[in-house]
Amino acid sequence: MEIAPDEPRLASLNSNNVLQTISPALLDARQLAGQGDTSGALAVYRSLFNGCQPPDSLANEYYLIIAGDRSLLPQAAQALEQRTNLQPEDAQTRLALGKVLTHQEATRRDGITILSAMADANPDADRLWRQALLWMAAQEGDSSLYQDYQARHPTDTGVMEYFRKNVGGDAKGEGFSTAEQR
């Protein structure tokens, strides 16, 4: 039996063979990442992959580490979005994308949308959804995001209180500014 050189499963086999030989370095990279040494972890990952794309089995992990470097976060989000488009049924990649998008205010609402859609079936998505809502600079137009969370978690009043306090806080601040200008 002959195998075509462009057979996708061949790349997966090659990746698995590479992983078996790089396990100690991979453990080092994970340890560095766990200690918060993003640049050190990235250096080890990059040496493991020899300048190539990470193998499928490590891609989400790698892009989550990249996202730990603010300057590389857009690159991580773009790579995870591409992976999600290629593999829309891959829940772990969607979870990683949702998580990465919540790291910046400009994309936080997109991440919240992804995480809230996954929350019923994924406790990690549910936890990250809550966290992102508490990180967000809440605006009046965000009320549906907070109400959706409250509907799913009726006993968790902290998230809705955060929304009310912060939206009300903005309005109060604007009121004081207007009063001072008079």
Side-chain angles (χ1 to χ4, degrees):
M1 178 170 126
E2 287 188 41
I3 298 175
D6 59 346
E7 169 64 42
R9 292 175 288 184
L10 189 58
S12 177
L13 285 174
N14 288 337
S15 293
N16 288 336
N17 289 337
V18 169
L19 287 178
Q20 290 174 358
T21 62
I22 62 174
S23 292
L26 180 59
L27 292 175
D28 289 343
R30 288 175 173 164
Q31 184 175 23
L32 288 168
Q35 294 169 347
D37 184 358
T38 301
S39 60
L42 287 176
V44 174
Y45 277 112
R46 287 177 178 144
S47 72
L48 290 173
F49 306 147
N50 294 319
C52 299
Q53 294 295 318
D56 252 8
S57 60
L58 292 176
N60 292 341
E61 174 182 332
Y62 176 67
Y63 294 124
L64 284 169
I65 300 301
I66 284 180
D69 180 329
R70 281 216 167 294
S71 67
L72 298 175
L73 193 139
Q75 177 186 341
Q78 181 180 24
L80 288 166
E81 194 165 356
Q82 287 173 348
R83 286 180 52 78
T84 301
N85 290 337
L86 292 172
Q87 304 168 21
E89 299 304 315
D90 183 351
Q92 290 306 308
T93 299
R94 277 196 333 271
L95 179 66
L97 175 61
K99 181 177 184 177
V100 165
L101 291 175
T102 65
H103 288 190
Q104 288 186 329
E105 187 65 31
T107 57
R108 191 161 291 142
R109 287 162 185 81
D110 296 331
I112 287 170
T113 300
I114 291 169
L115 296 171
S116 66
M118 298 178 70
D120 284 340
N122 189 314
D124 289 334
D126 195 46
R127 179 183 51 79
L128 291 167
W129 178 23
R130 181 184 197 282
Q131 181 179 357
L133 287 168
L134 294 174
W135 283 349
M136 191 163 57
Q139 302 170 4
E140 190 66 43
D142 296 327
S143 65
S144 65
L145 298 175
Y146 289 87
Q147 289 169 354
D148 290 346
Y149 182 85
Q150 189 66 53
R152 179 166 161 72
H153 301 280
T155 60
D156 184 355
T157 58
V159 172
M160 191 54 92
E161 286 175 19
Y162 170 85
F163 173 72
R164 288 185 186 123
K165 176 184 163 201
N166 285 285
V167 169
D170 290 344
K172 288 176 193 171
E174 289 173 17
F176 286 124
S177 295
T178 302
E180 287 174 1
Q181 292 172 358
R182 291 183 182 169

